[in-house]
Amino acid sequence: MNAPVLAVSRRTRRTPLSSRIEALGVGGYTVYNHMLLATSFGSPVNDYNHLKRNVQLWDVGCERQVQIQGPDAARLVQMMTVRDLSKSVVGQCLYVPLVDVDGSMINDPVALKLAEDRYWLSISDSDVLLWAKGLAYGLGLDVSIDEPNVWPMAVQGPKADDLMVVIFGEAVRDIRFFRFAELEFKGHSLNVARSGWSKQGGFEIYVDDPVIGPELWDALWDAGQAFDVAPGCPNLIERVEGGLLSYGNDMTREHNPLECGLDRYCQLDKDFESIGKAALVQIQKEGIKRAVRGLKISGDPVSSCVEAWPIHDGNKVVGQVTTAAYSPDFESNLAFAMLDRDHWTPGQILQALTPDGQTRDAVVSELPFTQDN
Ligand code: THG
């Protein structure tokens, strides 16, 4: 049987860098925010080994910006998240769980505070633009909301600093984690943040011009030859090791941020106005009934998780695996699972029913994984 093909059309939007990654042999695409996102170059294991040792260029133009600007911009962004933004500053990136009135996860973007009255929500895969426009109308807020022509590009890996210095100068070294600065490329000013969807360190450049994008890619590619640069994309194995949850895979509108282990981004005891706060305060009072944990699953490398796999404790179903990958560095299968209370204690041994029909031991772990947990 032939593998199914992803048909590309205007709905599955290309990015200004699609031509570059296709020339470099992108191996597959997924659709994210109605836009193309690469899934591999070569193989996930080769991509993983390279990412942990060198530096990669990623076309993450699909991380769309929902721009909220105007006199009520700060108020609307605060209404949308349960993270207290009162002490946030211009130049800061903030990871913000967005929730609805039931406290359910709507999205988990990085918010960039561009000015006191202008924000970008760099979103994961759900239609935040429509949600934000609806809220602004319903609440009668004085804001304008749109999706600007901005396509982030990531430079990730241990050699990212050294490569970025060649293009942007020593100033890149001064950018702190989850801060951004305006730096120049060919006389064009770009927001450059120390962030990115890997734990290997690096930057994200918010490309706001479809011509500059490929020129910047080419400049990084040429300079990167000295650092063994390769094209890359968010890597399944690396993100599981690092405990980076994916919205739509590991958390959905079925879950709240407390269940997703995002407690540190929920300041429920602080005094601010947010749509989902009352519901989450109540949920916290009652105690959550399930939570995300890591699992180390025994046996041969498992295939990645397309459908959720059931987790048993004896003959009782106590949760499900949402993402799984074999980690060469841990020499183990690692997974994220949503587990019921009483079955989520690190060290506890459960059973995973893998798609190949096997029942395998699965040891509950804290996230992120360490060699000892
Ligand atoms: N960068 C940008 N936009 C994005 C992502 C990104 N949009 C989609 C998706 N990724 C949003 N989700 C996340 C999830 C985790 C992180 C970033 C975006 C992340 N978390 C840090 C960690 O877990 O180590 C912690 C951040 C903190 O402590 O503040 O980086 O990657 N532009």
Side-chain angles (χ1 to χ4, degrees), residues 63-66 92-98 107-113 119-124 178 180 193 195-197 204 206:
E63 294 169 353
R64 303 310 292 162
Q65 310 308 300
V66 174
Q92 193 176 0
C93 306
L94 300 113
Y95 182 50
V96 289
L98 305 187
N107 199 284
D108 69 328
V110 176
L112 283 78
K113 184 164 177 172
Y119 293 78
W120 282 347
L121 299 177
S122 186
I123 60 171
S124 52
F178 264 56
F180 65 91
S195 59
W197 217 53
E204 290 180 300
Y206 289 79

Side-chain angles (χ1 to χ4, degrees), residues 64-132:
R64 303 310 292 162
Q65 310 308 300
V66 174
Q67 175 168 263
I68 301 178
Q69 56 186 338
D72 290 331
R75 175 149 181 247
L76 176 56
V77 175
Q78 183 63 85
M79 291 292 275
M80 294 170 75
T81 182
V82 281
R83 180 163 178 177
D84 178 10
L85 301 178
S86 61
K87 300 207 167 59
S88 61
V89 296
V90 173
Q92 193 176 0
C93 306
L94 300 113
Y95 182 50
V96 289
L98 305 187
V99 297
D100 69 11
V101 68
D102 302 320
S104 300
M105 291 291 296
I106 291 282
N107 199 284
D108 69 328
V110 176
L112 283 78
K113 184 164 177 172
L114 300 160
E116 292 301 332
D117 61 355
R118 183 166 168 246
Y119 293 78
W120 282 347
L121 299 177
S122 186
I123 60 171
S124 52
D125 187 18
S126 73
D127 295 318
V128 172
L129 183 80
L130 307 181
W131 168 239

Side-chain angles (χ1 to χ4, degrees), residues 244-321:
L244 287 171
L245 303 183
S246 160
Y247 185 78
N249 285 313
D250 309 307
M251 49 185 169
T252 69
R253 269 190 301 112
E254 303 277 300
H255 306 112
N256 66 59
L258 305 177
E259 293 171 335
C260 301
L262 302 179
D263 316 45
R264 64 186 178 286
Y265 308 107
C266 303
Q267 276 100 40
L268 300 176
D269 52 342
K270 292 278 168 58
D271 184 25
F272 59 88
E273 209 188 349
S274 167
I275 294 167
K277 201 163 95 183
L280 283 174
V281 166
Q282 185 60 27
I283 289 166
Q284 194 177 46
K285 211 161 80 187
E286 289 168 9
I288 54 171
K289 297 180 180 59
R290 56 188 180 175
V292 170
R293 289 286 184 272
L295 287 179
K296 287 187 175 166
I297 300 175
S298 67
D300 295 338
V302 293
S303 56
S304 63
C305 195
V306 179
E307 304 282 350
W309 317 337
I311 297 291
H312 286 226
D313 192 349
N315 47 23
K316 189 169 173 216
V317 176
V318 298
Q320 58 176 29
V321 168

Side-chain angles (χ1 to χ4, degrees), residues 292-296 344-347 363-367 369-370 373:
V292 170
R293 289 286 184 272
L295 287 179
K296 287 187 175 166
W344 67 29
T345 310
V363 183
V364 180
S365 284
E366 301 274 11
L367 290 175
F369 289 98
T370 63
N373 64 9

